[in-house]
Amino acid sequence: MKASFNPSLYLVTDSTMVSITELPTIVEKCVLGGVTMVQLREKTASTRAFVSIAFQLKEILAKYHVPLIINDRIDVALAIDADGIHIGQDDMPYHIARRILGPDKIIGLSVESYKQVEEANLLDVDYIGISPVFNTPTKTDTKTTFGIEGVEKIVAMSKHRTVAIGGIHLDNARPIIKAGANGVAVVSALMKATDPKKEAQKFKEIL
Amino acid sequence: MKASFNPSLYLVTDSTMVSITELPTIVEKCVLGGVTMVQLREKTASTRAFVSIAFQLKEILAKYHVPLIINDRIDVALAIDADGIHIGQDDMPYHIARRILGPDKIIGLSVESYKQVEEANLLDVDYIGISPVFNTPTKTDTKTTFGIEGVEKIVAMSKHRTVAIGGIHLDNARPIIKAGANGVAVVSALMKATDPKKEAQKFKEIL
């Protein structure tokens, strides 16, 4: 059976911001502060290093019953029996991903246009990632930002749960939830925080 | 049941040498010239592009009953139901790869030291890749070359079939087979050939 999940405060890791060896500590602090879901995104490590860090995070997150989602790499997700994957439009096509992972894994899909929201409505994805809401330095390959109005429009259009991502920090998180999104995905605001636990707590208070 | 395979003339692709759109044509020409096995190695493309080219190659190779092996990426291998994977020492650990792929897929493992040959003897891999035999511009992360003497030594040590890789071209292929290796893996000598079919035929004559 598919695990239930709460995407309200969704941490997305970025090992270009911190060294991969620091990730377990930072992730655990974020969870202690209230992060409800974690996505491991790793674009440069070897498969072996990716699997190794994924195992470490899985062990930590299991203690807190926080789901671990792997970005893009279904092989890594299978290796560690992760809770699910998150795919973008350049990653594995959804139908193939679902066939490989089966019905019980969480699959999130990034949408970067309203047309892609409509296409996602035809799929049984578990949530869509509205990407990007705001301008962000961590993703340079996306073109237009949706803004709060875009989030409102997508929430109305989509039959799926929605998580907003892109340039989200303490000052702009609240309007996203007010616009109806089920969660905010946060990268640098948590990864780069001096005190990740306290920062996550502040997000919790706002949301 | 596992497909039988003949690794005697094993083409390893490299999309840094040719554009990904040219790959299907080059690979087919190589097969017409006598290539017996193909490994798709792709380190820069998106997962979607990787899956797409893998599907194209599978369709071509199926016509000739030539096995398609995917380098590193088990997700891509599963997506297209490839004949197997080839993993290096920094890729997925062998036991996990075998668990995910099951007993019927070919798994090849690169060895870069005599110690790794001994370790591979404890695993039910389908062949080992002796890497590198000679100096090569396509792999910069490997340290020492085995040379012909090293191939002889490994052939004697290994309980697995052996394929040599690294800097192999028409002038140095024959001694590798004489040393007892079951095959030569060729990258640039075929990928960069003006006439890949003719080049593959020349290899066939030598081997």
Side-chain angles (χ1 to χ4, degrees):
Chain A
M1 211 189 67
K2 192 174 292 185
S4 67
F5 64 96
N6 166 8
S8 60
L9 184 54
Y10 189 168
L11 170 68
V12 178
T13 72
D14 187 330
S15 67
T16 63
M17 291 183 186
V18 297
S19 122
I20 204 165
T21 55
E22 294 175 87
L23 264 186
T25 311
I26 294 175
V27 167
E28 184 156 22
K29 283 179 182 166
C30 288
V31 169
L32 289 169
V35 156
T36 57
M37 197 155 166
V38 174
Q39 179 185 137
L40 175 60
R41 186 168 67 186
E42 178 51 61
K43 295 294 184 189
T44 53
S46 69
T47 300
R48 184 156 302 199
F50 195 166
V51 167
S52 168
I53 185 70
F55 264 124
Q56 291 174 60
L57 294 192
K58 188 192 173 185
E59 200 171 68
I60 292 165
L61 295 175
K63 288 193 290 179
Y64 303 98
H65 305 288
V66 165
L68 175 60
I69 304 296
I70 304 293
N71 182 284
D72 182 14
R73 295 287 297 268
I74 296 177
D75 50 348
V76 176
L78 289 172
I80 69 146
D81 191 24
D83 299 284
I85 60 158
H86 184 93
I87 48 179
Q89 299 285 332
D90 287 332
D91 297 337
M92 188 71 78
Y94 171 76
H95 289 295
I96 301 179
R98 178 60 79 194
R99 194 192 73 216
I100 297 174
L101 289 170
D104 292 344
K105 294 296 183 186
I106 298 164
I107 302 184
L109 175 66
S110 287
V111 293
E112 294 173 7
S113 69
Y114 298 111
K115 185 165 168 285
Q116 288 172 2
V117 178
E118 283 169 1
E119 289 164 1
N121 274 345
L122 305 174
L123 311 172
D124 59 335
V125 299
D126 296 289
Y127 70 89
I128 56 171
I130 303 172
S131 170
V133 192
F134 304 120
N135 272 315
T136 162
T138 55
K139 288 274 265 186
T140 51
D141 57 345
T142 43
K143 281 151 206 160
T144 48
T145 57
F146 285 109
I148 299 296
E149 275 180 49
V151 173
E152 268 175 8
K153 188 172 164 183
I154 290 172
V155 166
M157 284 172 68
S158 178
K159 65 170 213 180
H160 302 295
R161 297 164 85 182
T162 55
V163 178
I165 189 166
I168 298 172
H169 48 77
L170 282 173
D171 298 336
N172 62 17
R174 196 159 162 64
I176 295 167
I177 299 300
K178 281 185 117 176
N182 300 103
V184 292
V186 180
V187 191
S188 56
L190 285 170
M191 295 296 287
K192 285 180 165 175
T194 326
D195 186 338
K197 183 182 167 186
K198 197 173 281 178
E199 198 73 6
Q201 285 170 330
K202 286 182 193 164
F203 270 103
K204 273 309 230 196
E205 284 162 26
I206 284 172
L207 299 174
Chain B
M1 211 188 69
K2 192 173 292 187
S4 67
F5 64 95
N6 166 7
S8 60
L9 182 55
Y10 190 166
L11 169 68
V12 178
T13 72
D14 187 330
S15 67
T16 63
M17 292 184 185
V18 297
S19 124
I20 204 166
T21 53
E22 295 176 88
L23 264 186
T25 311
I26 293 174
V27 166
E28 184 156 21
K29 284 178 182 167
C30 289
V31 170
L32 288 170
V35 156
T36 58
M37 196 156 166
V38 174
Q39 179 186 137
L40 175 60
R41 184 168 69 185
E42 178 50 62
K43 294 295 184 189
T44 53
S46 69
T47 299
R48 183 155 304 199
F50 196 165
V51 168
S52 168
I53 186 70
F55 265 124
Q56 291 173 60
L57 294 192
K58 189 192 172 185
E59 201 171 66
I60 292 166
L61 295 175
K63 288 192 290 179
Y64 303 98
H65 305 287
V66 165
L68 175 61
I69 303 297
I70 303 293
N71 184 284
D72 182 15
R73 295 288 297 267
I74 295 177
D75 50 348
V76 176
L78 290 173
I80 69 146
D81 190 27
D83 298 285
I85 60 158
H86 183 93
I87 47 178
Q89 300 284 331
D90 287 333
D91 297 336
M92 188 72 76
Y94 171 76
H95 290 294
I96 301 179
R98 179 60 78 195
R99 194 192 73 216
I100 296 174
L101 288 170
D104 293 343
K105 295 295 182 186
I106 298 164
I107 302 185
L109 174 68
S110 287
V111 294
E112 294 174 6
S113 69
Y114 299 111
K115 186 165 167 285
Q116 289 172 2
V117 178
E118 284 169 1
E119 289 165 1
N121 275 345
L122 305 174
L123 310 173
D124 58 337
V125 299
D126 296 289
Y127 70 88
I128 57 170
I130 303 172
S131 171
V133 191
F134 304 119
N135 272 315
T136 162
T138 57
K139 288 275 268 186
T140 51
D141 57 343
T142 44
K143 280 151 205 160
T144 48
T145 57
F146 286 110
I148 298 294
E149 276 180 48
V151 173
E152 268 175 8
K153 188 172 165 183
I154 290 172
V155 166
M157 285 172 69
S158 179
K159 66 170 211 179
H160 302 294
R161 296 163 86 182
T162 54
V163 178
I165 189 167
I168 297 172
H169 47 77
L170 282 173
D171 297 336
N172 62 17
R174 195 159 162 66
I176 296 168
I177 299 300
K178 281 186 118 174
N182 300 102
V184 291
V186 180
V187 191
S188 56
L190 285 171
M191 295 295 288
K192 285 181 166 175
T194 325
D195 186 338
K197 182 182 167 186
K198 197 172 281 178
E199 199 73 8
Q201 284 170 331
K202 286 182 193 164
F203 270 103
K204 273 311 231 194
E205 284 161 26
I206 285 171
L207 300 175

